[in-house]
Amino acid sequence: MHCRRVESAVGGRGFSSKRAAGVALQKQAARQLRHMVTASAGKRLVALDFDGVVCDSVGESSLSAIKAAAIQWPEIFQSAAAEAAKPQLVEQMRAVRPVVETGYENVVQVRCLYEGVTVQQMLESWHDILPAKMKEWSLDRSKLIELFGKVRDEWISEDLAGWLAPNRIYPGVAEAVAAAMQQDEVYIVTTKQAHYTETLLRDMAGIAFPADRILSTTVSGEPKSTVLAHLAEQHPGAAAYVFVEDKLSTLKKVAKVPGAEAWQLYLVGWGYNTVAERQEADADPRITVVDLQGFQRLMAQ
């Protein structure tokens, strides 16, 4: 019996190895296909997500959300108990950041966490919890976006250094982005409002990024897949089409869009994703997971 168990285990590893080899071959075939459907001359078109790829903004977005919550629900958050809970809330907000799609959701998350929704519940069911709480608390998406933006604008106006401080640029990323800008057509495609992105790039990354190349899906209301399609139409002669994200769900949506075969899809190994998501992406022939060194090489190609 012992021998049979050993043989079974070895067989399982062999099957796993074959499956991994199969995925690797699929990834190679996908890269060859993308190379065939893109032009062989000209600059590359590079689209980068911002939060989670270039900037770790969870500290600032959490604090801004708490400030917004105090305005939205003063009877709850303008209290000594809420003030005392702030450090724990910020820590929990970092843990649940992988499920956030758009900034205003942070405001709803703060109240959920304060009132007892656990981190695990939020990670597993946020896309069900969000609409339920929006309805229960009679919240309007556009008004929350406006409130969240107003809080940030006032903080920036009153204390720019204080607003910048909780943010950080991922080490080595700014230099890689700047290098790509010297040789490629580079855009930022983000759910963050464009003027916040521009401020962070200028004041923290030291990059004078053209404002008209920062495309905010929060403002346009278009999904990133649509924005990428528009960019591809504007740059039909690109040597390659590169999209770098930290959210697996976004990359999977792009991969399903007809006509998106030319896009090389990359998931960064940092930012707001989980180990399980990186493993899933690694098994997807359309997506390549890159660490910092891989990202730097990608930007320098």
Side-chain angles (χ1 to χ4, degrees):
M1 292 180 66
H2 177 70
C3 291
R4 283 198 293 272
R5 284 198 297 270
V6 171
E7 289 169 358
S8 177
V10 172
R13 285 195 297 270
F15 176 77
S16 178
S17 298
K18 290 178 181 178
R19 182 177 182 276
V23 169
L25 288 173
Q26 286 180 297
K27 286 179 178 286
Q28 181 180 4
R31 286 194 294 268
Q32 291 173 342
L33 174 62
R34 291 193 296 269
H35 179 73
M36 290 171 62
V37 299
T38 53
S40 59
K43 297 181 178 181
R44 295 183 305 169
L45 173 58
V46 178
L48 304 172
D49 178 39
F50 186 71
D51 290 319
V53 172
V54 179
C55 180
D56 178 7
S57 61
V58 70
E60 177 275 319
S61 62
S62 299
L63 292 172
S64 291
I66 292 171
K67 289 174 181 284
I71 296 172
Q72 181 70 30
W73 303 290
E75 71 282 3
I76 299 174
F77 286 95
Q78 290 185 16
S79 66
E83 184 65 25
K86 186 184 294 185
Q88 181 181 4
L89 285 172
V90 172
E91 183 179 346
Q92 290 175 316
M93 290 290 284
R94 177 171 291 279
V96 300
R97 182 58 180 82
V99 298
V100 173
E101 294 283 350
T102 307
Y104 80 93
E105 297 175 30
N106 288 282
V107 184
V108 186
Q109 282 189 332
V110 163
R111 180 171 174 181
C112 288
L113 290 167
Y114 186 66
E115 295 190 346
V117 177
T118 68
V119 168
Q120 192 60 36
Q121 287 172 330
M122 201 169 286
L123 288 173
E124 292 175 353
S125 307
W126 177 239
H127 294 297
D128 295 323
I129 293 172
L130 176 61
K133 292 301 183 182
M134 292 285 287
K135 183 178 180 180
E136 178 183 344
W137 296 332
S138 301
L139 299 174
D140 179 81
R141 181 182 185 274
S142 62
K143 290 182 179 178
L144 277 184
I145 291 173
E146 182 181 354
L147 172 62
F148 198 47
K150 180 182 178 183
V151 166
R152 280 174 152 169
D153 287 340
E154 290 179 353
W155 191 359
I156 290 170
S157 176
E158 295 170 3
D159 181 16
L160 175 60
W163 180 79
L164 290 171
N167 295 279
R168 72 182 183 98
I169 303 299
Y170 291 107
V173 171
E175 296 82 357
V177 173
M181 290 173 64
Q182 297 300 312
Q183 60 188 20
D184 296 314
E185 304 289 354
V186 182
Y187 289 81
I188 299 291
V189 181
T190 176
T191 59
K192 201 181 202 77
Q193 293 191 40
H195 61 291
Y196 303 133
T197 304
E198 184 181 6
T199 299
L200 288 163
L201 284 167
R202 181 190 67 234
D203 293 352
M204 295 205 71
I207 298 175
F209 205 95
D212 61 352
R213 293 201 168 201
I214 302 174
L215 309 178
S216 171
T217 61
T218 297
V219 174
S220 69
E222 295 179 326
K224 290 189 178 183
S225 56
T226 301
V227 175
L228 294 178
H230 292 330
L231 286 175
E233 290 173 359
Q234 295 170 24
H235 298 275
Y241 298 86
V242 176
F243 180 43
V244 184
E245 253 284 355
D246 74 307
K247 292 192 74 66
L248 177 60
S249 59
T250 300
L251 292 174
K252 289 169 69 174
K253 289 174 185 175
V254 172
K256 292 178 181 178
V257 174
E261 295 84 3
W263 284 97
Q264 300 171 18
L265 306 179
Y266 293 89
L267 180 77
V268 296
W270 60 90
Y272 312 127
N273 53 52
T274 65
V275 172
E277 287 174 329
R278 292 192 288 275
Q279 290 174 341
E280 182 181 348
D282 208 35
D284 190 323
R286 281 287 280 118
I287 301 171
T288 301
V289 180
V290 289
D291 59 12
L292 175 60
Q293 290 72 31
F295 177 76
Q296 290 171 328
R297 288 193 297 270
L298 178 65
M299 293 297 98
Q301 286 180 3

